[in-house]
Amino acid sequence: MTSTKFIQKLKSLLTVTSSSAVIFGSVFYYRNDEKFFENIAMPITRKFADAETSHKIVMFACKWNLLPPNKYEDPEMLNTQICGIKLKNPLGLAAGFDKDGEAIKSLHNLGFGFVEIGSVCPEEQSGSSKPSVFNLDEDKTIIHRHVYASKGHEYVVPNMRYLRRKIEYEGIIGVNMGRNKWSDPIHDYSMGVKVFSPTANYLVINIEQRSHLEEYTEEVRKARLLFDIEKQRPIFIKLSPDLNYEELKEIINVTKKNKYKVDGFIISDATKNRYSLKSTNKNEDRGLSGQILREKSTKMIEDVYKLTSGKVAIIGSGGIFNGQDAYEKILAGASAVQIYTSFMYQGPPVVNKIKRELHELLVNNGYKNVTEAVGKGVKLEKKFIWFL
């Protein structure tokens, strides 16, 4: 056989092989196969693209409906509500993935019970220098350095209005309200309440420390009162996991007072602590999300549930990769939970995987519904009293 014929046959073989691989992969892709996404599709994406590009690829696929259709029907047992908001299931997508609300409907269609967008700042601003996202594969953790990168109210608000009014979309949407680097955060949070109350189902402000808590919550409450009662959205505070117990207790005591009262807490935000990470780029600056937060956030949920005697709504977030992780946070006091890092590591099938496993755990442990399990792993010690 001449070298020319050999090369031609080799090319033909490669063409057939690659075509077969594409067809094979496509079949598993559109079957929404869990193992295919977790062990092949997502690792390949991370291998050949940095973390920031990987996020953009997944976001692009969500935005343009390129992901497999969701055929999982939520069991009635997973139906629940939080702050009067009815959810088909308690699993939501955390803020940070769809920062500008560009893929809300598509994300809901993947099976999420609710989607939180943001953080959304009043004015457009860029994030940190590139690269701004790092995967720590050995730790199943992500480092974020693009804090408060946002296209601003001018971009996001019209999209939200179009979604609600033109498409008449009824999915549950939370808005994490950000602040610009150069402006007064009290003004920015207040502005967020004013522009998003007509279209959001709940609103979130981020608290990393105790300072200025009264000013933030008082002004946010004042802004909410500008609306009729049906558009006065629940206000959640997203807490830093780096707060110590005394700081956490002080925040709870402040928000007991009617003047500064909020409707619930999201626990928790990213951490700046490095704990015992294994990955080589573990020392990159900024916050970490993912498996590193699993135990820390669950303990924090339990602490807040005890401090409020289970009377205040909690959304659990941090290190949820399977149904057991979600179940533990619900037993600790969370009425609903959110994921982010596991979505980036395992792909869209993780949504139904978590719901299916959670449903099995509820059934096996004798619960009639997910609401019945909330806080069942916590022994309440004293009565929570609202101050006037």
Side-chain angles (χ1 to χ4, degrees), residues 51-183:
E52 193 158 3
T53 303
S54 297
H55 177 270
K56 289 179 179 178
I57 290 171
V58 179
M59 183 62 198
F60 179 86
C62 292
K63 181 178 179 179
W64 297 105
N65 289 308
L66 301 178
L67 294 172
N70 173 38
K71 298 180 180 179
Y72 181 82
E73 292 289 335
D74 291 334
E76 190 174 340
M77 180 180 282
L78 294 184
N79 296 172
T80 187
Q81 61 177 299
I82 187 165
C83 294
I85 303 170
K86 294 181 180 180
L87 303 174
K88 291 183 178 180
N89 68 75
L91 181 62
L93 179 64
F97 180 79
D98 188 1
K99 298 179 72 68
D100 300 303
E102 297 175 313
I104 295 171
K105 187 176 180 180
S106 297
L107 289 165
H108 270 118
N109 290 342
L110 295 177
F112 286 109
F114 61 104
V115 172
E116 185 176 317
I117 67 169
S119 295
V120 185
C121 301
E123 297 181 40
E124 182 175 5
Q125 70 178 21
S126 60
S128 308
S129 58
K130 308 294 183 180
S132 59
V133 188
F134 300 88
N135 286 325
L136 307 185
D137 290 347
E138 293 180 65
D139 304 289
K140 290 187 177 179
T141 295
I142 294 176
I143 295 179
H144 308 263
R145 288 173 57 186
H146 59 293
V147 179
Y148 294 145
S150 173
K151 293 183 179 179
H153 290 175
E154 188 175 348
Y155 179 86
V156 180
V157 172
N159 289 343
M160 291 278 285
R161 288 175 180 167
Y162 177 81
L163 195 62
R164 293 301 198 192
R165 297 175 187 177
K166 297 292 184 181
I167 302 178
E168 298 183 346
Y169 185 65
E170 296 181 353
I172 306 304
I173 307 170
V175 177
N176 188 297
M177 301 180 296
R179 61 193 192 190
N180 287 117
K181 301 171 186 176
W182 54 83
S183 61

Side-chain angles (χ1 to χ4, degrees), residues 73-285:
E73 292 289 335
D74 291 334
E76 190 174 340
M77 180 180 282
L78 294 184
N79 296 172
T80 187
Q81 61 177 299
I82 187 165
C83 294
I85 303 170
K86 294 181 180 180
L87 303 174
K88 291 183 178 180
N89 68 75
L91 181 62
L93 179 64
F97 180 79
D98 188 1
K99 298 179 72 68
D100 300 303
E102 297 175 313
I104 295 171
K105 187 176 180 180
S106 297
L107 289 165
H108 270 118
N109 290 342
L110 295 177
F112 286 109
F114 61 104
V115 172
E116 185 176 317
I117 67 169
S119 295
V120 185
C121 301
E123 297 181 40
E124 182 175 5
Q125 70 178 21
S126 60
S128 308
S129 58
K130 308 294 183 180
S132 59
V133 188
F134 300 88
N135 286 325
L136 307 185
D137 290 347
E138 293 180 65
D139 304 289
K140 290 187 177 179
T141 295
I142 294 176
I143 295 179
H144 308 263
R145 288 173 57 186
H146 59 293
V147 179
Y148 294 145
S150 173
K151 293 183 179 179
H153 290 175
E154 188 175 348
Y155 179 86
V156 180
V157 172
N159 289 343
M160 291 278 285
R161 288 175 180 167
Y162 177 81
L163 195 62
R164 293 301 198 192
R165 297 175 187 177
K166 297 292 184 181
I167 302 178
E168 298 183 346
Y169 185 65
E170 296 181 353
I172 306 304
I173 307 170
V175 177
N176 188 297
M177 301 180 296
R179 61 193 192 190
N180 287 117
K181 301 171 186 176
W182 54 83
S183 61
D184 178 9
I186 296 176
H187 166 272
D188 288 359
Y189 287 145
S190 178
M191 182 62 68
V193 174
K194 294 172 185 175
V195 300
F196 286 113
S197 288
T199 54
N201 295 98
Y202 70 89
L203 304 168
V204 185
I205 58 176
N206 304 288
I207 298 295
E208 293 186 8
Q209 52 190 359
R210 163 69 178 79
S211 60
H212 304 295
L213 180 62
E214 288 91 345
E215 295 97 316
Y216 293 165
T217 52
E218 184 176 14
E219 289 305 311
V220 163
R221 286 176 57 81
K222 285 180 181 178
R224 183 169 64 173
L225 290 174
L226 297 174
F227 294 90
D228 295 335
I229 189 69
E230 67 271 11
K231 290 186 179 178
Q232 291 182 17
R233 307 306 184 191
I235 304 293
F236 284 78
I237 289 179
K238 190 168 188 176
L239 296 172
S240 166
D242 300 332
L243 294 165
N244 61 42
Y245 183 78
E246 290 305 315
E247 291 171 325
L248 183 63
K249 188 175 180 180
E250 192 173 354
I251 287 173
I252 299 300
N253 286 334
V254 169
T255 57
K256 285 180 182 179
K257 302 175 183 178
N258 280 341
K259 191 175 182 181
Y260 311 119
K261 189 167 63 175
V262 295
D263 300 279
F265 298 93
I266 298 179
I267 303 170
S268 65
D269 207 341
T271 179
K272 293 181 180 178
N273 291 330
R274 279 344 192 221
Y275 303 103
S276 55
L277 294 170
K278 303 173 184 176
S279 303
T280 55
N281 52 355
K282 62 184 179 181
N283 292 320
E284 292 292 343
D285 190 24

